[in-house]
Amino acid sequence: MGHVTSVLWLRRDLRLGDHPALHAAAADGPVVPLFVLDPALIAAAGAPRLAFLYRSLRALDAATGGALVIRTGAPDEVVPAVVRAAKAGSVHISADFGPYGQRRDAAVADALGDVPLVRTGSPYAVAPGRVSKGDGTPYKVYTPFYRAWLAHGWRAPAGAADPAWHRLPSDAIPDDPVLPDGLVLPEAGEAAALAAWRAYAVGHYAEVRDRPDLDQTSRMSPYLKWGAIHPRTMLAELTESDETFRREIAWREFYAAVLHAWPESARDYFQPAMRAMKWSKPGADFDAWRAGRTGYPIVDAGMRQLLGEGWMHNRVRMIVASFLVKDLHVEWQHGARHFMAHLVDADLASNQHGWQWTAGTGTDASPYYRVFNPITQGIRFDPAGDYVRRWVPELRAIAGKAVHEPWQLDEPPADYPAPIVDHAAERLVALERYQQIR
């Protein structure tokens, strides 16, 4: 095309390295790097996620030498306006496969008229829809998806681009929203993502990944959420012995593929028969769960970590989700919304389908009758009680695994609540309700 200005509309790809859409834009000529603060998405994001986004944008703006253009408004109005201002001949994007993203991009493509909206790459190593069963239908079960995903493979990371930036006036990046007292987010931006990844010792992941007390998972999920690093970059540096970590990256890609094939599963049951389950209305018990005051230490530690860091260890996410759905009998969507409001790494596909997995309503589901015992889960995965003591200060005087059952002590802590429900009894209630719809 020659030296024709193009717009690189950034969304979940806030980086300059390993960026196929940036390469495609730079091949046309000077590039306007644009990020649109879309009110529809901003309104749905919690404070930790917004703060991390704004910090990521500041880091990207610095990396472009101040060339990043920020605009606020509906994308189908903002993007064409930027194209007109830059006299751009094309708009380049990394493809979005989420329900809202696809509708939004279709509206923008329509509004652009003769100016092409060019999709190159995506936030995934293998784009949703690329891997399917022999009959062409999408996978519903993770293990065969994983085998097909591995067999499909992915491209090597793209080299560094050297774009010439076309500068336009920009709105200011908003100030961070007010965060809860004491909440500290990870450093944002591409350089921080790469540094965190290169510093992580993947080799021990399989042994430590279920231990919240050790706190030795990679914590790369916030960077993947906003595309400060591409999963392809990470996959390229894994060895054959890093199979467990590779499988976790594939889980993210599986859930994205499922949401792409069944967009209604973001809000509705993947298994429709489960809609008939009898649920309890959220009330005081739900409030206690959200505040980390259930009287079950591993549950409360997880919920307080969520409030204190905007993040929660994955094993604990499953424990607290099971407790809400199967001990308190509250419908999974309530918990999923709470996570989306507080997680810095909140990702619609992974969050909603992770909740449906634990609730026994989704793909490849943990059967509904598999109910996590919060006591035995705590003892098994936090054997010395260090994770609980870190997040539940009322229990710090209790040594060892006794911290998981403080009600058994001769003098239970006066400032820590007794269990709000009897797990054994509520497990039977959950199973009885399940039997009623079978």
Side-chain angles (χ1 to χ4, degrees):
M1 184 178 291
H3 299 285
V4 177
T5 298
S6 63
V7 173
L8 176 67
W9 177 20
L10 298 153
R11 293 89 68 85
R12 294 181 59 187
D13 48 357
L14 303 184
R15 64 185 185 279
L16 300 181
D18 192 7
H19 200 312
L22 174 57
H23 279 273
D28 288 350
V31 178
V32 178
L34 169 68
F35 188 89
V36 180
L37 294 170
D38 181 351
L41 295 179
I42 297 300
R49 188 162 27 129
L50 279 183
F52 193 75
L53 166 62
Y54 296 157
R55 296 176 190 185
S56 300
L57 291 173
R58 292 185 197 109
L60 183 60
D61 186 49
T64 63
L68 182 64
V69 175
I70 302 295
R71 291 282 190 274
T72 302
D76 59 348
E77 297 175 0
V78 170
V79 176
V82 172
V83 166
R84 291 191 295 270
K87 297 181 174 59
S90 59
V91 177
H92 292 264
I93 60 172
S94 300
D96 192 323
F97 293 91
Y100 173 77
Q102 290 197 300
R103 295 194 304 270
R104 174 202 59 203
D105 291 356
V108 170
D110 185 61
L112 286 171
D114 293 336
V115 176
L117 183 67
V118 183
R119 296 166 173 84
T120 308
S122 79
Y124 306 100
V126 179
R130 288 283 182 88
V131 172
S132 59
K133 294 188 288 186
D135 61 2
T137 59
Y139 285 100
K140 296 182 178 181
V141 178
Y142 171 76
T143 299
F145 170 87
Y146 178 67
R147 289 194 292 264
W149 180 81
L150 277 181
H152 181 282
W154 43 84
R155 294 182 179 181
D162 186 23
W165 301 119
H166 180 102
R167 295 176 182 269
L168 290 177
S170 174
D171 297 344
I173 298 171
D175 293 335
D176 289 355
V178 176
L179 296 173
D181 289 344
L183 192 150
V184 177
L185 297 176
E187 185 179 356
E190 181 179 12
L194 290 170
W197 173 240
R198 302 276 156 73
Y200 182 63
V202 177
H204 67 208
Y205 176 76
E207 290 73 40
V208 302
R209 68 191 184 105
D210 279 321
R211 292 282 301 275
D213 57 324
L214 301 179
D215 195 16
Q216 293 184 28
T217 56
S218 72
R219 295 202 181 215
M220 293 302 295
S221 53
Y223 300 116
L224 286 167
K225 161 63 185 176
W226 290 114
I229 190 170
H230 196 281
R232 183 178 48 230
T233 301
M234 300 165 67
L235 287 163
E237 298 181 8
L238 297 179
T239 67
E240 289 187 10
S241 63
D242 297 324
E243 179 71 6
T244 303
F245 196 95
R246 189 179 295 107
R247 282 181 171 272
E248 292 305 307
I249 294 177
W251 269 109
R252 177 177 180 266
E253 308 234 330
F254 172 60
Y255 283 150
V258 170
L259 184 62
H260 173 59
W262 293 277
E264 68 281 358
S265 64
R267 303 285 182 264
D268 202 358
Y269 289 79
F270 189 83
Q271 296 184 31
M274 295 297 289
R275 291 195 201 106
M277 177 74 70
K278 179 182 177 182
W279 300 108
S280 299
K281 185 177 180 179
D285 287 352
F286 181 56
D287 292 339
W289 176 83
R290 291 190 296 182
R293 299 282 295 173
T294 69
Y296 285 92
I298 193 71
V299 174
D300 294 341
M303 298 308 293
R304 296 188 194 187
Q305 183 181 28
L306 176 63
L307 298 177
E309 291 188 342
W311 187 87
M312 191 191 302
H313 187 279
N314 188 62
R315 165 59 58 173
V316 186
R317 294 188 198 200
M318 292 188 285
I319 295 171
V320 304
S322 179
F323 187 84
L324 181 68
V325 173
K326 297 174 183 177
D327 286 67
L328 303 184
H329 319 296
V330 172
E331 206 166 10
W332 64 269
Q333 292 97 327
H334 295 284
R337 280 194 293 270
H338 183 73
F339 272 30
M340 289 296 291
H342 291 279
L343 284 170
V344 67
D345 63 2
D347 174 89
L348 186 68
S350 294
N351 186 68
Q352 307 304 89
H353 283 283
W355 270 90
Q356 292 223 50
W357 186 93
T358 303
T361 67
T363 60
D364 207 25
S366 171
Y368 186 84
Y369 52 79
R370 184 180 299 160
V371 181
F372 281 42
N373 183 318
I375 303 168
T376 58
Q377 288 280 311
I379 293 171
R380 179 179 178 185
F381 297 112
D382 182 25
D386 293 336
Y387 175 72
V388 165
R389 281 187 291 273
R390 185 183 311 151
W391 289 106
V392 187
E394 306 97 297
L395 303 179
R396 285 177 183 163
I398 303 174
K401 68 180 183 180
V403 76
H404 294 292
E405 298 178 273
W407 56 86
Q408 299 283 16
L409 300 174
D410 292 336
E411 296 185 14
D415 54 351
Y416 184 70
I420 60 174
V421 294
D422 181 323
H423 168 72
E426 299 307 328
R427 174 181 176 274
L428 294 178
V429 172
L431 297 179
E432 180 182 355
R433 291 186 180 187
Y434 177 61
Q435 288 296 328
Q436 290 172 359
I437 67 169
R438 290 191 65 187

